[in-house]
């Protein structure tokens, strides 16, 4: 009996010291804000399956991650962590300018079977030929967030809003029935959000699908820009930045906000006293039978080529992004919208959500994922977006005769800045 006890004691000592098994591996992850918190929420579940891998998530801010990655990649990869968060529309900057900085995930196990579990629009910016330099994480399927009580007071049923013209007609009724309330808001001075959402819905973006030409002056984009101006000129859209929108939400001064599905967490966490008063409905389109899907925002995870723990880092990506368990943990905790298509079948996704008046908001939001058009940002996204911001401001102030003239000017400026040709 003493021998057995001694053996058990020795085994316990070995376990405690770690000498009986492989030494614990530590991987470091760079991320930002809510995204960093969401990643941390998956560590407990990950460690149940991988107890020998310690995950350290560092929140260094959104600009911080991007700037530090650029500097590190320019220096040959020195100073990078094992895993990094990358915004999708900025992702191709890294493999265009620094092709050896990030790992081709297909070499670690990111095979076609797993790739196909993500929508095409998420993969388009992360893959080059057969190589994949990042794995899709969250996405931003666009939806209209609305105040049930304000719509009801005006006698407006959101189910009848199929087109943007319907939205304008409804907005006039809602504003009239709710004095001091604006139908919607957009950051018209500091962002191109509304233009990009409506353009993506119409299958148009700054650049062509192969990223080789400029398409921002194509018909779908022109329709989008002109519709934004039409909504604004009807007195239904006011300029507001991120914080001003939140203030308007909580003060009950706005009836609708168009955003990516991740805005669910923002509304719920910043306006807790308005539980039951908010709902969602599909974004309107140019025609009733037109597309009703777009994306705004979303990111991915990449592994540094210089990482000494690539296999461990891949296991973290595979669990966090490639399983319903990982993705839905982040959805529950912080409202990060999964890109994984199988997550739509998760029981939580199909549950009525109390804050949203019992609506199954996640089932409604995620249903559009397979319908979203890819819109590659390319390595020139930031350059192009700065041009569009200036042109949008001038156009909304009456500085161009129409949307086509505005976007023709923008396209020429982008061509001068990037060297890319205009699409024919």
């Amino acid at each position: 009996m003493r021998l057995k006890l001694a053996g058990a004691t020795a085994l316990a000592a070995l376990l405690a010291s770690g000498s009986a098994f492989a030494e614990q591996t530590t991987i470091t992850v760079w991320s930002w804000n809510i995204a960093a918190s969401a990643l941390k929420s998956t560590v407990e579940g990950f460690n149940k399956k991988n107890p020998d891998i310690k995950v350290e998530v560092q929140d260094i801010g959104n600009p911080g991650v991007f700037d530090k990655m650029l500097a590190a990649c320019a220096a040959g990869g020195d100073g990078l962590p094992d895993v990094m968060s990358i915004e999708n529309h900025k992702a191709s900057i890294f493999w265009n300018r620094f092709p050896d900085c990030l790992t081709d995930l297909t070499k670690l196990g990111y095979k076609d079977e797993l790739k196909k579990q993500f929508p095409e629009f998420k993969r388009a910016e992360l893959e080059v030929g057969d190589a994949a330099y990042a794995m899709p994480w969250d996405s931003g399927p666009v939806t209209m967030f609305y105040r049930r009580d304000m719509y009801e007071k005006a006698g407006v049923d959101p189910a009848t809003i199929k087109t943007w013209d319907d939205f304008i007609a409804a907005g006039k009724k809602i504003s009239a029935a709710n004095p001091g309330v604006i139908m919607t808001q957009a950051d018209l001075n500091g962002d191109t959000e509304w233009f990009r959402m409506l353009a993506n819905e119409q299958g148009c973006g700054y650049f062509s699908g192969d990223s080789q030409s400029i398409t921002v002056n194509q018909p779908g984009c022109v329709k989008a820009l002109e519709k934004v101006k039409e909504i604004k000129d009807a007195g239904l859209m006011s300029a507001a930045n991120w914080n001003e929108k939140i203030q308007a939400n909580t003060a009950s001064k706005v009836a609708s906000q168009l955003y990516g599905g991740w805005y669910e967490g923002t509304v719920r966490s910043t306006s807790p006293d308005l539980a039951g008063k908010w709902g969602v409905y599909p974004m309107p389109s140019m025609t009733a039978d037109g597309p009703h899907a777009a994306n705004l925002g979303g990111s991915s995870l990449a592994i540094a080529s210089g990482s000494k723990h690539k296999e461990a880092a891949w296991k973290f990506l595979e669990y966090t992004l490639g399983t319903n368990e990982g993705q839905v943990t982040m959805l529950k905790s912080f409202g990060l919208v999964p890109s994984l298509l199988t997550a739509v079948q998760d029981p939580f996704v199909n549950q009525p959500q109390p804050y949203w008046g019992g609506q199954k908001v996640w089932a409604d939001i995620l249903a559009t994922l397979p319908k979203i058009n890819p819109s590659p940002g390319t390595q020139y996204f930031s350059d192009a977006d700065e041009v569009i911001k200036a042109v949008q401001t001038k156009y909304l102030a009456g500085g161009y005769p129409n949307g086509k003239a505005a976007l023709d000017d923008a396209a020429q400026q982008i061509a001068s800045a990037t060297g890319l040709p205009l699409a024919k």
Side-chain angles (χ1 to χ4, degrees):
M1 189 70 175
R2 289 180 179 175
L3 288 173
K4 290 182 179 179
L5 181 59
T9 302
L11 177 59
L14 284 170
L15 286 169
S17 68
S19 60
F21 298 92
E23 185 178 346
Q24 187 177 59
T25 298
T26 298
I27 61 170
T28 303
V29 183
W30 281 356
S31 194
W32 55 78
N33 306 328
I34 294 297
S37 298
L39 287 175
K40 290 176 184 177
S41 74
T42 69
V43 173
E44 181 179 354
F46 173 72
N47 281 150
K48 288 179 181 178
K49 302 177 185 295
N50 301 276
D52 57 331
I53 301 173
K54 182 180 179 182
V55 182
E56 292 184 353
V57 180
Q58 299 178 358
D59 179 356
I60 59 176
N62 185 311
V65 173
F66 181 74
D67 293 344
K68 289 170 74 72
M69 280 187 66
L70 278 182
C73 285
D78 290 343
L80 286 175
D82 301 286
V83 178
M84 297 138 293
S85 299
I86 308 177
E87 287 186 282
N88 260 44
H89 64 265
K90 295 178 179 178
S92 59
I93 291 173
F94 293 99
W95 34 94
N96 275 284
R97 299 182 186 176
F98 312 107
D100 298 324
C101 194
L102 302 177
T103 300
D104 175 6
L105 300 180
T106 64
K107 308 296 185 185
L108 298 175
Y110 186 41
K111 304 301 182 183
D112 286 345
E113 183 178 353
L114 183 51
K115 285 183 185 179
K116 291 176 181 177
Q117 293 184 38
F118 296 95
E120 178 61 29
F121 83 92
K122 284 294 295 187
R123 295 173 51 194
E125 296 169 307
L126 308 179
E127 299 176 14
V128 181
D130 294 330
Y133 293 102
M135 188 171 177
W137 180 2
D138 63 312
S139 57
V142 174
T143 193
M144 189 69 74
F145 296 85
Y146 80 102
R147 280 290 295 270
R148 297 177 182 275
D149 51 338
M150 294 178 183
Y151 276 56
E152 288 171 3
K153 188 176 180 180
V156 173
D157 180 356
T160 64
I161 302 177
K162 303 296 184 182
T163 69
W164 288 111
D165 288 341
D166 293 339
F167 182 78
I168 291 172
K172 292 176 180 178
K173 292 180 181 178
I174 290 166
S175 294
N178 298 272
V181 171
I182 190 78
M183 181 60 169
T184 193
Q185 296 174 306
D187 190 353
L188 300 173
N189 300 312
D191 206 318
T192 56
E193 52 191 14
W194 263 75
F195 169 64
R196 284 186 285 128
M197 287 187 281
L198 270 61
N200 184 209
E201 179 187 55
Q202 297 305 308
C204 185
Y206 293 177
F207 304 100
S208 59
D210 62 5
S211 304
Q212 298 304 305
S213 60
I214 299 162
T215 55
V216 75
N217 60 342
Q218 295 294 307
C221 288
V222 172
K223 289 179 183 178
L225 187 60
E226 291 183 339
K227 192 57 67 175
V228 172
K229 189 174 190 298
E230 187 178 346
I231 296 169
K232 177 181 177 294
D233 288 351
L236 302 175
M237 175 187 285
S238 63
N241 62 28
W242 176 265
N243 290 329
E244 290 167 340
K245 289 181 184 180
I246 291 175
Q247 291 167 9
N249 291 347
T250 58
S252 296
K253 295 296 184 182
V254 63
S256 323
Q257 298 284 16
L258 185 70
Y259 258 129
W262 41 262
Y263 198 62
E264 184 275 343
T266 300
V267 173
R268 180 165 43 84
S269 62
T270 58
S271 302
D273 295 339
L274 296 176
K277 293 186 176 181
W278 282 92
V280 305
Y281 63 90
M283 68 182 300
S285 191
M286 298 299 171
T287 60
D289 59 352
H292 294 265
N295 184 74
L296 182 72
S299 54
S300 57
L301 291 181
I303 297 174
S305 290
S307 168
K308 297 179 180 179
H309 311 295
K310 289 189 181 72
E311 295 295 335
W314 167 247
K315 285 183 179 180
F316 182 65
L317 265 64
E318 189 175 31
Y319 170 79
T320 303
L321 307 185
T323 68
N324 289 355
E325 182 181 340
Q327 289 267 15
V328 175
T329 294
M330 294 186 284
L331 176 66
K332 288 179 180 178
S333 302
F334 295 97
L336 265 70
V337 181
S339 296
L340 192 68
L341 294 172
T342 56
V344 176
Q345 281 81 48
D346 188 88
F348 175 77
V349 170
N350 291 283
Q351 288 177 6
Q353 299 299 319
Y355 182 90
W356 299 90
Q359 184 177 357
K360 298 178 181 179
V361 291
W362 289 121
D364 292 341
I365 292 171
L366 292 176
T368 66
L369 277 176
K371 306 172 187 177
I372 297 171
N373 290 304
S375 181
T378 83
Q379 60 178 314
Y380 302 117
F381 173 83
S382 296
D383 300 312
D385 201 48
E386 288 302 315
V387 170
I388 299 298
K389 284 178 191 176
V391 167
Q392 173 180 263
T393 298
K394 182 178 177 180
Y395 171 64
L396 294 177
Y400 295 95
N402 52 54
K404 183 67 166 66
L407 293 179
D408 280 343
D409 183 23
Q412 291 292 344
Q413 291 185 52
I414 295 169
S416 297
T418 64
L420 290 175
L422 273 61
K424 296 181 179 179

